[in-house]
Amino acid sequence: MKRQVIQTADGSKTLFIPEMNEQYHSVNGALTESEYVFLKQGYFHHPSPSPVVFEVGFGTGLNALVTALKAEEQKRSTTFISIEKYPISSNEIKSLDYGKTISGKAVDLFQQLHAASWGKEVTISEFFTLYKIETDLTTFSLKNLEPFDVIYFDAFAPDKQPKLWQAEIFDRIFEASRTGAVFVTYSAKGSIRRQLINSGFSMERLPGPPGKRQMLRGVRLT
Ligand SMILES: C[S@@+](CC[C@H](N)C(=O)[O-])C[C@H]1O[C@@H](n2cnc3c(N)ncnc32)[C@H](O)[C@@H]1O
């Protein structure tokens, strides 16, 4: 799949797939979206001092990077499990260069996140452990993973990749979560909200990041 590096409205970059006419983040601001949807409405919404985060789509590593920075800042021992079917190339990592966009401290961290081996837990810093799994969410069993406290559901849009936004996937994620788990996604689609409710999450609509009216957040109450 061919990908291009493009600039988004807040100055941070993202990847664009011409064949799908789809990008990895909002063109209205990749970093802004990542910090708002996943950190603010997801990671910060869970009270655990040692959360397990599960991400669908490691992609550029931007969500992992902003979470790792916060984990250090807040001294919150975070385990970050992320699955990815199509890891990006070293040239793409170099061109995205998120570290430079964020802070001096983030430069090395961004490299470390990408250099970490796939398929095993890697200690990135005192408060951040990364477990990247190269696999396909539609066939991978979540049963042997540590139960999730926070879920970053960051697949390509439902109309571009409907297979990933199915009831069966949400059921499996619900079952792999702890009581109190927080599920966040940038999508605000009614059909997705209803499927997540059927899977057991208690859902709310929240104001979206720039350029999007709303997003979804769910909590596992039982
Ligand atoms: C919207 S992008 C977001 C990526 C990432 N969270 C980021 O911050 O860059 C969606 C990601 O899901 C990955 N993906 C697509 N299909 C997948 C599948 N079946 N299983 C696992 N990951 C998949 C894509 O390769 C891509 O990296």
Side-chain angles (χ1 to χ4, degrees), residues 65-98:
L65 178 62
V66 295
T67 307
L69 287 165
K70 279 296 162 198
E72 281 301 306
E73 200 181 300
Q74 300 184 339
K75 303 198 185 317
R76 210 173 163 206
S77 286
T78 301
T79 302
F80 195 95
I81 305 169
S82 187
I83 73 168
E84 175 57 60
K85 189 172 177 187
Y86 311 106
I88 65 171
S89 71
S90 48
N91 279 342
E92 288 167 327
I93 296 166
K94 222 182 271 167
S95 329
L96 286 164
D97 204 7
Y98 283 129

Side-chain angles (χ1 to χ4, degrees), residues 32-46 66 70 152 182 184 206 215 217:
T32 308
E33 177 187 54
S34 182
E35 289 183 330
Y36 176 78
V37 174
F38 299 104
L39 266 188
K40 181 164 186 232
Q41 305 296 8
Y43 184 72
F44 294 167
H45 193 68
H46 197 286
V66 295
K70 279 296 162 198
Y152 293 178
V182 173
V184 273
L206 301 169
M215 59 166 279
R217 179 166 63 202

Side-chain angles (χ1 to χ4, degrees), residues 22-214:
E22 175 73 331
Q23 56 279 327
Y24 278 50
H25 305 98
S26 164
V27 290
N28 296 299
L31 179 60
T32 308
E33 177 187 54
S34 182
E35 289 183 330
Y36 176 78
V37 174
F38 299 104
L39 266 188
K40 181 164 186 232
Q41 305 296 8
Y43 184 72
F44 294 167
H45 193 68
H46 197 286
S48 170
S50 51
V52 173
V53 179
F54 175 69
E55 177 182 46
V56 172
F58 182 75
T60 64
L62 181 57
N63 291 339
L65 178 62
V66 295
T67 307
L69 287 165
K70 279 296 162 198
E72 281 301 306
E73 200 181 300
Q74 300 184 339
K75 303 198 185 317
R76 210 173 163 206
S77 286
T78 301
T79 302
F80 195 95
I81 305 169
S82 187
I83 73 168
E84 175 57 60
K85 189 172 177 187
Y86 311 106
I88 65 171
S89 71
S90 48
N91 279 342
E92 288 167 327
I93 296 166
K94 222 182 271 167
S95 329
L96 286 164
D97 204 7
Y98 283 129
K100 225 176 184 175
T101 317
I102 299 175
S103 68
K105 205 176 160 189
V107 175
D108 284 349
L109 193 53
F110 185 57
Q111 294 308 322
Q112 273 177 276
L113 296 173
H114 279 287
S117 302
W118 294 87
K120 62 175 191 178
E121 284 200 4
V122 178
T123 303
I124 300 290
S125 64
E126 191 181 349
F127 295 99
F128 195 79
T129 299
L130 178 63
Y131 183 16
K132 294 191 293 188
I133 308 167
E134 186 175 349
T135 189
D136 185 337
L137 176 67
T138 60
T139 51
F140 182 70
S141 168
L142 306 176
K143 283 192 181 135
N144 297 324
L145 299 176
E146 256 191 271
F148 315 146
D149 297 304
V150 184
I151 300 111
Y152 293 178
F153 199 86
D154 198 13
F156 291 128
D159 57 325
K160 306 285 166 150
Q161 221 183 4
K163 263 175 87 179
L164 260 64
W165 300 80
Q166 283 184 31
E168 182 266 334
I169 301 252
F170 297 143
D171 288 351
R172 288 200 285 121
I173 291 179
F174 182 85
E175 277 155 27
S177 306
R178 277 197 188 99
T179 301
V182 173
F183 179 110
V184 273
T185 183
Y186 62 85
S187 174
K189 264 192 129 176
S191 56
I192 303 300
R193 183 176 161 270
R194 286 190 291 279
Q195 274 178 8
L196 284 160
I197 291 171
N198 286 340
S199 296
F201 289 102
S202 171
M203 299 302 299
E204 62 182 323
R205 284 184 199 278
L206 301 169
K212 281 217 76 189
R213 209 163 58 83
Q214 291 181 317

